[in-house]
Amino acid sequence: MSDIEIRDERDKGLLVARTVGEPESAALGYIQYFVVDAPERALVPVHTVVEPEHEGRGIAGSMARELYAIAAREGIAVAPLCPFVAQWAARHPGEAPVAPPELMDAAGRALADDPAKW
């Protein structure tokens, strides 16, 4: 995975994996997410995509790991609505703290109120 870099494009709501040294290269994959502020600030991943020709290289897991690392650095939570990220978090409890139920409910309501977030 050393040839992959993962960048947070917060203004677009994307965590994007690209080839190192090729900033304008096509995305290898991405996690689409949004931010909620209440009941606490959190990143809310809703969709994970890895381009078919790059599947099986651990890119999706690396992006999920980086999403949780970003949240940890910022001192905020992750409320995973994306099934892949939720499954990854369940398999990596030491890296992925469980979001409280009220935060998951708030994230779900935010998505229902604005489906364009997906």
Side-chain angles (χ1 to χ4, degrees):
M1 285 297 302
S2 62
D3 60 336
I4 304 297
E5 64 183 358
I6 300 170
R7 285 187 269 149
D8 184 8
E9 297 182 8
R10 183 78 48 105
D11 59 322
K12 297 176 186 171
L14 295 172
L15 191 66
V16 181
R18 297 188 189 279
T19 303
V20 171
E22 296 182 33
E24 301 307 317
S25 67
L28 307 175
Y30 63 87
I31 292 178
Q32 183 177 349
Y33 72 93
F34 63 93
V35 178
V36 295
D37 290 314
E40 64 181 282
R41 190 161 175 81
L43 303 179
V44 183
V46 293
H47 192 55
T48 300
V49 172
V50 173
E51 295 303 324
E53 63 271 21
H54 300 290
E55 290 178 352
R57 296 177 55 196
I59 293 170
S62 292
M63 290 188 301
R65 178 172 279 116
E66 181 60 17
L67 185 78
Y68 275 92
I70 289 167
R73 288 191 298 271
E74 294 180 12
I76 62 176
V78 174
L81 296 181
C82 167
F84 175 82
V85 175
Q87 290 170 0
W88 183 91
R91 289 190 313 269
H92 299 86
E95 297 176 74
V98 175
E102 60 274 7
L103 177 57
M104 293 300 296
D105 291 344
R109 283 192 307 276
L111 184 58
D113 290 346
D114 183 2
K117 290 179 172 127
W118 195 103

